[in-house]
Amino acid sequence: MQNIFGKNGTETPEPVQATVKGVIPLWLEGTLIRNGPGLFSVGDSRYNHWFDGMSLIHSFTFKNGEVSYRSKFLKSDTYKRNIKAERIVVSEFGTMVYPDPCKNIFSRFFTHLSNVIPDFTDNNLVNIIQYGADVYAASEINYINKIDPSTLETIGRTNYRNHIALNLATAHPHYDQEGNTYNMGTAIMGLGKPKYVIFKVPHDASDATRQKPALRKLEQVCSIPFRSLLFPSYFHSFGMTDSYIVFVEQAFKLDILKLATAYFRGENWGNCLKFDPDDTTLFHVVNRHTGKRLSTKFFGVAMVTFHHINAYEEQEQLVMDLVSYKDSNLYEMFYIDNMRQEPGQLEEANKAYSAPVCSRYVLPLNIHQDSERGVNLVTLSDTSASAVIQEDGSVLCTPDTLFTGLELPRINYNFNAKKYRYVYGSRVEWSAHPSKIAKVDVQSRSHVEWFQENCYPSEPVFVASPGATEEDNGVILSSVISPDPALVPFMLVLDARTMKELGRAEIPASVHMDLHGLYIPASKPGPDQD
């Protein structure tokens, strides 16, 4: 077996035809574009963390029962600077870079000074997102890079700060039924007090020639002040219903003073994130149409969350499902030295880490001054979640466990913001290398899995069958790689109802492990998944 983690990927700039085994449905026409780290060393320098690797974008195009594949490195400014210097010269999440000692003292001084307030990398390796008709590679920084979804060419970067005062933004926006995009960011430095900002980009924000960024028509929905000025919450995603946006202000926080001094202390930015187990979690509920925030204080015990699953309203209650942890050790698992351990060693080392739990919170929306204290106000019959008003009027929310051991959750996005039944995800069992895909029925709390020995499937993506009305009428797409050189990488196509394999397309090229992506149907320009 070869160790494939932290290994540099290679480009396949021109499309290659895959070899199909089984059947790829003829109705499946579109392109799945996925993003993730693909270059982990330049010259003699290497990254410390898997989340630092430079973005390698790849696409799988489905047409007439066939599949073609291509991949290209995102030609970000970071990529260009690193390649030109033949070493890593831009700091990333887990790798702090210092100037070449051969540079003169004045150059080194200004480099040090610029890192007091870091201008983050534009290495957008997390996801592929859409604003209007524009497609971008994105991560959790103020830069996004526009790409051509057909050729994967990098068109150029856009700075959120040219359109709204943001230092950080999520790579997991939401799309409503009209195609409008909602997203969140953090404003740490700039005019006014630090705050979280929710914004909307209209579906028709792109100009006819697509020469102007869709962000120029960005609309701020609302802002939420930090509960602690020097310790803003980290967030990777958020929840959205038909009427509301839910932001989880968690006890996993960014230490601003540590961030400003990290460069001089020789620490990476990842070490500026700290989990406070003695703190609480706050749930902010904002009307996404009016921008008005509910005055009720909803809170829970300290937890860490990265991925929301879905949220919806039922009987004047807001149901929010997310993947939660009891600590923040997940990031430790993805240091490349840890990932390169033998699977048995890695699993044994990681058993002390918190397992991911699919948790359901329920927030009553009709609370008033006379609401009864000390009783559970959740009246839904399909959950054991509770919401109890405290004497001061705040509401303590305790979750219901839907499932344990699932990450990278995806749903049929046609059911986003609606009551739903199924979530698909990577089955996590004490390893950074997911080896199974699971379909979880949140109603019956049962699940089924796909598994093949020595295979690592990517985040599963649901694509609905044409005209489908049943929630699981469609297919699951997942890119699969293996440390076994005898196993060719392939695009897996599963029947979403049964989780049985319909077919696979074996790729005659190097394929890397990725993070998230976007499926773009051939019949329409809008996004199908988040």
Side-chain angles (χ1 to χ4, degrees), residues 192-389:
K193 293 183 178 180
K195 56 196 174 185
Y196 311 105
V197 178
I198 299 170
F199 62 91
K200 169 187 173 182
V201 179
H203 65 93
D204 57 355
S206 299
D207 66 301
T209 61
R210 300 191 188 179
Q211 297 300 307
K212 299 177 181 178
L215 289 180
R216 77 191 194 283
K217 292 189 177 181
L218 179 151
E219 305 166 7
Q220 180 170 313
V221 175
C222 82
S223 63
I224 300 168
F226 295 175
R227 60 169 155 169
S228 175
L229 289 180
L230 295 178
F231 299 95
S233 168
Y234 171 81
F235 57 97
H236 186 74
S237 61
F238 59 97
M240 188 174 82
T241 72
D242 282 340
S243 301
Y244 299 98
I245 284 175
V246 190
F247 164 52
V248 179
E249 191 173 16
Q250 57 186 325
F252 187 33
K253 308 171 186 178
L254 177 64
D255 187 322
I256 298 296
L257 293 180
K258 281 189 174 181
L259 179 72
T261 59
Y263 189 82
F264 301 103
R265 292 183 295 105
E267 289 201 23
N268 62 49
W269 291 324
N271 289 335
C272 301
L273 287 167
K274 297 297 178 185
F275 174 61
D276 183 356
D278 299 320
D279 203 351
T280 58
T281 301
L282 293 182
F283 304 99
H284 300 279
V285 182
V286 178
N287 186 307
R288 68 180 174 99
H289 305 297
T290 67
K292 185 176 181 181
R293 183 158 48 111
L294 296 191
S295 58
T296 303
K297 178 186 176 184
F298 298 101
F299 74 100
V301 298
M303 58 108 170
V304 174
T305 184
F306 302 99
H307 295 114
H308 283 249
I309 301 171
N310 198 10
Y312 59 91
E313 301 155 48
E314 184 179 14
Q315 300 177 25
E316 296 189 84
Q317 292 158 95
L318 191 155
V319 179
M320 176 179 59
D321 296 345
L322 49 78
V323 180
S324 67
Y325 294 82
K326 292 180 180 179
D327 57 43
S328 60
N329 289 333
L330 180 69
Y331 277 130
E332 300 297 320
M333 194 183 296
F334 286 92
Y335 276 97
I336 291 175
D337 286 346
N338 290 340
M339 296 181 74
R340 284 178 170 165
Q341 295 181 75
E342 292 300 316
Q345 293 177 310
L346 184 59
E347 289 171 20
E348 190 62 34
N350 290 338
K351 283 186 177 179
Y353 291 173
S354 165
V357 176
C358 296
S359 301
R360 170 164 291 180
Y361 287 87
V362 180
L363 283 55
L365 298 172
N366 57 351
I367 291 176
H368 49 80
Q369 192 173 9
D370 299 327
S371 294
E372 188 175 359
R373 267 56 173 168
V375 299
N376 183 14
L377 297 180
V378 177
T379 60
L380 303 179
S381 60
D382 59 353
T383 181
S384 62
S386 67
V388 179
I389 302 184

Side-chain angles (χ1 to χ4, degrees), residues 130-143:
Q130 195 155 356
Y131 288 122
D134 302 339
V135 178
Y136 294 91
S139 49
E140 300 176 326
I141 48 182
N142 57 290
Y143 295 114

Side-chain angles (χ1 to χ4, degrees), residues 403 405-410 423-429 433-440 447-452 455-462 475-481 490-496 498-501:
F403 187 77
L406 192 84
E407 251 296 359
L408 302 177
R410 298 290 291 256
V423 55
Y424 304 87
S426 297
R427 191 78 167 88
V428 178
E429 295 173 317
H433 325 316
S435 59
K436 301 176 182 178
I437 301 172
K439 174 188 181 182
V440 177
H447 78 286
V448 292
E449 296 177 342
W450 176 89
F451 169 77
Q452 181 176 327
C455 285
Y456 299 137
S458 70
E459 164 196 60
V461 174
F462 180 94
V475 296
I476 293 295
L477 307 179
S478 178
S479 170
V480 183
I481 61 174
F490 59 93
M491 169 53 62
L492 175 68
V493 182
L494 302 177
D495 183 325
T498 64
M499 296 298 284
K500 300 295 185 183
E501 181 174 334

